[in-house]
Amino acid sequence: MAVSCIWLMFFFSLFGHGVLELVEAFHHVYLNVHQTAQYSTSGNQPYRTSYHFQPPKNWMNDPNGPMLRLGIYHLFYQYNPKAAVWGSNVIWGHSTSTDLVNWTPHDPAIYPSQQSDINGCWSGSTTILPGGHPVILYTGIDTENRQVQNLAAPKNFSDPFLREWVKFKHNPLLTPNSKNKINATYFRDPSTAWLGCDGNWRVIIGSQKKERGLAILFKSNDFVHWEEAEKPLYSANKDTGMWECPDFYPVLIKSALGIDTSSNGPDVRYVLKVSFFRTPHDYYMIGTYNPDKDIFIPDNGPFKDSSLRYDYGKFYASKTFFDNKYPLHRRILWGWVNESSSAIDDIKKGWSGVQAIPRSIWLDKSGKQLVQWPIKEIETLRGTQIELPYQVLSGGSVLEVSGLTAAQADVVISFEISDFIKAEVLDPSWTNPQVICSRKDASVKGGLGPFGLLVLASEGLQEYTAVFYRIFKGHNKYVKYVVLMCSDQNRSSLNQDNDKTTYGAFVDVDPVQEKLSLRSLIDHSIVESFGAEGKACITARVYPTLAINDAEAHLYVFNNGTENIGITRLSAWSMKKAQIN
Ligand code: DQQ
């Protein structure tokens, strides 16, 4: 088991008193215009989600400061109270939940009120201080439009919902200046802080210098006075552009259990995730953290285009937190899923942005990648269940799965391949899975595949989103077969204004030894898919015009390869509506 330093406990108890003094020094902000409005979007809304988190209206982006406190989960999020598009004036929306499924809205937690955040309250994180006191570090856009780092704490620790937050009087804590040579427009998104054995807190902040991304490290012994470390925790070796929303946390070797961000020990590896502003994707690396030198050493060298991603579709500005709600010990990942519709359409529908279903995240037993799976609690929404008996899906066939609400469903399917002879040989120059999926979309006949699901499909298949596999023969003796997972949005909508990019990922699984599974969470305009029990995830946003709502949306299984495929399991559930704000 991972251990925290013993004397750290002592520090915790000392610091516990300090927190109250800290709060005294906070300035109180009073709500007026920001009172929770009882608003809703109006008109025909076929794309609003039923169990994916979203506010009643307007723009939402990054998840901010997710945490658990006294049995209540908090989700803060970047929110534009004035429009369905992003604005630099974004604030922190706030909702709470006891199950991560049903959410109660609260007044915005943080909004411009000080010189240090008067032009916007951007992303940040919570850290639970000794004594269980949470504090928020967030980026404010100050009077000079500089990105600076601010501190806030709950006004009333006895309020279980922590509805009001007060800001530290002496904000900002950290500013870009000529001494530290940090560019004022590239200095944002403080991570959750972790406590080292030397009694100092550490936090990383996203930045770039000369086009190279970096996670700048700051240290503090009181959470108020922060000093930049000599070296960043990690920096790019080439032009990557700005790194946003860095996240740094420990994971256990050979265990799916999560551990606290400050835990360390011999059975622990570290994950550094950064959100590449340019692409925009969330990339991560697994590696070693040297707490003496305060540097991170990735196992596989610097970030590259082929680096691991949480999700190979739409998923950005993500953030994890440690959930130890009894009897759980898990790390949970939140991620923002942007629209694929035009800004004009977003303004028309009056909202933009959803959050992916929170995912448990842990280190795969290979130690080479992370695995993600939708939190167990989402299964409480499962209603009518459909089960198909084992059957063979012959090459070129399509099978309807009827009897469920296909626009709002959870589908799990497993495939068995008994003959690999017809698998095509993968051209060695085809190294980018997304490109292969675009060239060989669901309509391109293959040998072993494409086979998978057609979701949010219209009856005549004028519209569908295809989530599928293709299996290729590898081109060396070490890689016998290559498994490709695709999400093809080409025919997802008759509306041509949407971004219909095809997504793809290689899946590290041996299809000879294991059945190939696929799970898709379908929710009106989002399809979140998990390949091989969570080894590869692809999330897509789609806007069907025919396959809308439960009456018109259909679900099919298809096989467009020449080889027959066995379906060893198909379980599908209609999903009930969650209470979301
Ligand atoms: N979104 C926030 C920034 C962050 C970006 C502003 C990532 O703090 O860098 O809304 O989506």
Side-chain angles (χ1 to χ4, degrees):
M1 241 352 234
V3 285
S4 301
C5 325
I6 302 276
W7 78 265
L8 219 143
M9 311 291 277
F10 172 67
F11 178 84
F12 269 29
S13 57
L14 276 183
F15 200 80
H17 301 290
V19 167
L20 295 176
E21 283 144 37
L22 248 182
V23 172
E24 290 297 295
F26 279 67
H27 102 147
H28 289 237
V29 188
Y30 299 97
L31 291 175
N32 43 47
V33 291
H34 295 297
Q35 294 295 339
T36 306
Q38 298 302 310
Y39 39 57
S40 65
T41 45
S42 57
N44 186 19
Q45 289 282 351
Y47 306 127
R48 279 192 72 79
T49 53
S50 282
Y51 60 95
H52 282 77
F53 182 92
Q54 56 181 177
K57 67 171 189 178
N58 291 331
W59 167 275
M60 172 177 69
N61 56 304
D62 318 352
N64 288 157
M67 66 165 168
L68 169 78
R69 182 180 177 265
L70 302 178
I72 294 178
Y73 294 102
H74 294 254
L75 174 67
F76 305 92
Y77 53 89
Q78 289 282 280
Y79 179 64
N80 182 352
K82 299 207 172 122
V85 291
W86 186 80
S88 59
N89 57 302
V90 279
I91 62 175
W92 280 43
H94 183 202
S95 290
T96 55
S97 168
T98 52
D99 60 5
L100 289 167
V101 174
N102 298 289
W103 292 90
T104 305
H106 300 294
D107 288 327
I110 298 183
Y111 43 85
S113 69
Q114 289 184 323
Q115 294 209 331
S116 60
D117 67 8
I118 204 67
N119 286 314
C121 300
W122 290 17
S123 285
S125 306
T126 48
T127 300
I128 312 269
L129 295 185
H133 298 300
V135 288
I136 287 174
L137 277 176
Y138 70 99
T139 300
I141 308 301
D142 75 0
T143 43
E144 293 161 48
N145 278 322
R146 296 180 313 166
Q147 295 171 6
V148 300
Q149 316 311 323
N150 297 319
L151 182 64
K155 180 176 177 187
N156 175 5
F157 283 103
S158 59
D159 171 11
F161 302 110
L162 303 177
R163 280 168 288 204
E164 287 181 68
W165 289 73
V166 288
K167 297 175 188 171
F168 187 49
K169 259 189 201 154
H170 306 293
N171 278 337
L173 305 183
L174 286 169
T175 53
N177 54 50
S178 50
K179 194 172 143 230
N180 59 30
K181 297 201 185 93
I182 296 170
N183 186 309
T185 54
Y186 301 125
F187 185 44
R188 56 184 183 263
D189 311 336
S191 68
T192 293
W194 69 98
L195 192 51
C197 289
D198 59 359
N200 288 317
W201 289 97
R202 279 117 170 119
V203 77
I204 46 173
I205 296 178
S207 187
Q208 76 166 52
K209 271 186 185 163
K210 296 188 180 143
E211 301 292 317
R212 291 181 179 197
L214 68 156
I216 312 180
L217 182 75
F218 289 86
K219 292 195 205 180
S220 168
N221 61 12
D222 60 3
F223 225 87
V224 170
H225 303 93
W226 294 87
E227 294 255 330
E228 187 179 346
E230 258 171 52
K231 285 189 183 157
L233 181 76
Y234 191 71
S235 58
N237 68 339
K238 59 170 188 172
D239 290 2
T240 58
M242 174 69 188
W243 287 356
E244 300 186 309
C245 302
D247 197 14
F248 186 60
Y249 54 91
V251 283
L252 284 173
I253 296 170
K254 297 207 167 79
S255 168
L257 296 180
I259 47 172
D260 182 83
T261 311
S262 295
S263 295
N264 204 335
D267 46 3
V268 161
R269 308 294 337 270
Y270 276 83
V271 177
L272 174 66
K273 183 280 304 186
V274 293
S275 303
F276 277 49
F277 175 72
R278 276 188 193 165
T279 47
H281 299 308
D282 279 12
Y283 290 94
Y284 71 87
M285 301 191 293
I286 296 161
T288 308
Y289 167 52
N290 179 329
D292 301 323
K293 292 191 182 150
D294 263 319
I295 48 166
F296 172 73
I297 303 138
D299 292 347
N300 295 320
F303 279 119
K304 34 191 150 338
D305 292 343
S306 58
S307 286
L308 293 161
R309 279 167 55 185
Y310 281 159
D311 194 297
Y312 292 83
K314 283 213 153 177
F315 190 90
Y316 192 66
S318 62
K319 202 174 282 300
T320 62
F321 75 102
F322 174 53
D323 175 10
N324 62 349
K325 188 173 189 174
Y326 183 80
L328 302 167
H329 272 94
R330 59 185 177 178
R331 185 158 284 273
I332 304 243
L333 171 70
W334 278 100
W336 163 47
V337 187
N338 193 7
E339 302 299 307
S340 292
S341 47
S342 66
I344 293 174
D345 282 353
D346 295 344
I347 291 165
K348 268 193 222 150
K349 70 189 199 303
W351 59 272
S352 177
V354 303
Q355 300 296 333
I357 296 300
R359 303 171 180 179
S360 292
I361 186 163
W362 66 95
L363 186 64
D364 182 51
K365 53 183 183 311
S366 69
K368 291 192 290 190
Q369 67 160 101
L370 297 171
V371 183
Q372 299 159 65
W373 200 244
I375 47 149
K376 185 96 186 111
E377 291 90 326
I378 206 69
E379 294 170 22
T380 59
L381 295 177
R382 286 174 170 175
T384 306
Q385 181 174 359
I386 306 295
E387 289 281 333
L388 291 194
Y390 175 86
Q391 55 196 287
V392 172
L393 196 61
S394 50
S397 61
V398 176
L399 170 75
E400 173 151 23
V401 182
S402 48
L404 77 162
T405 56
Q408 205 173 300
D410 182 356
V411 186
V412 178
I413 188 164
S414 283
F415 302 100
E416 180 182 62
I417 298 117
S418 35
D419 197 340
F420 288 79
I421 287 176
K422 291 183 185 152
E424 298 148 83
V425 177
L426 185 66
D427 182 330
S429 66
W430 288 24
T431 52
N432 182 329
Q434 179 162 6
V435 171
I436 309 174
C437 290
S438 326
R439 288 190 193 157
K440 285 181 173 277
D441 69 25
S443 68
V444 179
K445 216 172 179 51
L448 252 187
F451 57 85
L453 299 171
L454 300 179
V455 307
L456 292 171
S458 61
E459 200 170 3
L461 291 181
Q462 300 95 327
E463 289 182 336
Y464 60 81
T465 294
V467 188
F468 62 87
Y469 287 115
R470 278 178 195 273
I471 299 172
F472 295 95
K473 285 197 181 100
H475 34 78
N476 67 49
K477 63 177 182 202
Y478 304 108
V479 186
K480 207 157 179 218
Y481 296 105
V482 176
V483 176
L484 178 73
M485 174 179 166
C486 306
S487 182
D488 165 13
Q489 285 67 243
N490 272 318
R491 292 164 195 81
S492 57
S493 173
L494 297 182
N495 180 350
Q496 298 310 328
D497 295 339
N498 303 318
D499 169 11
K500 294 181 183 169
T501 305
T502 300
Y503 308 122
F506 290 127
V507 194
D508 186 16
V509 63
D510 179 354
V512 181
Q513 302 296 331
E514 293 170 55
K515 294 192 177 68
L516 209 46
S517 72
L518 176 66
R519 178 174 181 192
S520 287
L521 294 173
I522 304 155
D523 192 3
H524 298 272
S525 62
I526 180 167
V527 182
E528 256 187 278
S529 299
F530 300 82
E533 307 291 314
K535 280 188 168 178
C537 308
I538 305 186
T539 300
R541 297 300 309 279
V542 290
Y543 310 88
T545 59
L546 305 172
I548 51 169
N549 297 324
D550 296 323
E552 307 301 333
H554 296 258
L555 171 70
Y556 300 92
V557 186
F558 79 106
N559 177 7
N560 200 16
T562 47
E563 182 59 67
N564 296 347
I565 304 288
I567 301 176
T568 55
R569 176 185 180 193
L570 188 143
S571 310
W573 294 264
S574 293
M575 290 292 271
K576 289 177 242 161
K577 199 170 166 46
Q579 182 205 308
I580 293 180
N581 297 323

